[in-house]
Amino acid sequence: MQVYKTRRAVLMGAAAVATAFKAGPSAASGPTTHVVRIKSFAFVPERIDARVGDTIQWVNEDLAPHTATADDFEWDRGELTQNQVAEVLVTDDMQTSYFCVFHPHMKGEIARV
Ligand SMILES: [Cu+2]
């Protein structure tokens, strides 16, 4: 009888659970928080599918400061230094395209589903 799982088997199991959760009926599970990592001068993932009432949370993993700022400046979480976190509540009339004011080539999208 095998008692110990390999680390790889454990990780694969965790991935399977995460996938199953993601594919579940999220409408019935209430608001969720979507984490966007800011990494290597990019928003990861670049596009987030979110519902009204969800929260978008940015975590800056870069040494460089970044911002998460609506294209029309309707909302702006200001400068995020390394490991700082900022959040925005998804509303039905919000500007959904955003960028980093320090590095305008960094773009992100909050796609409402
Ligand atoms: Cu930036």
Side-chain angles (χ1 to χ4, degrees):
M1 177 178 162
Q2 185 184 358
V3 177
Y4 299 103
K5 287 183 176 178
T6 65
R7 179 171 168 76
R8 180 173 165 79
V10 170
L11 288 174
M12 286 175 69
V17 169
T19 302
F21 182 78
K22 201 174 182 180
S26 52
S29 60
T32 57
T33 296
H34 307 270
V35 177
V36 178
R37 299 160 70 203
I38 306 175
K39 195 176 161 68
S40 303
F41 293 80
F43 296 108
V44 182
E46 197 174 297
R47 175 191 154 133
I48 286 281
D49 291 334
R51 290 184 164 77
V52 171
D54 285 355
T55 297
I56 310 298
Q57 184 181 84
W58 290 271
V59 182
N60 182 14
E61 298 183 4
D62 277 345
L63 283 169
H66 297 291
T67 76
T69 306
D71 278 4
D72 62 0
F73 294 91
E74 176 200 313
W75 50 268
D76 181 6
R77 285 301 165 267
E79 179 175 330
L80 297 179
T81 56
Q82 188 179 29
N83 295 322
Q84 265 197 313
V85 175
E87 291 184 346
V88 158
L89 182 68
V90 178
T91 59
D92 59 3
D93 58 351
M94 75 186 294
Q95 172 66 46
T96 55
S97 298
Y98 67 92
F99 71 115
C100 169
V101 297
F102 301 141
H103 317 101
H105 66 278
M106 294 174 58
K107 295 179 183 304
E109 177 75 21
I110 302 166
R112 284 191 308 262
V113 293

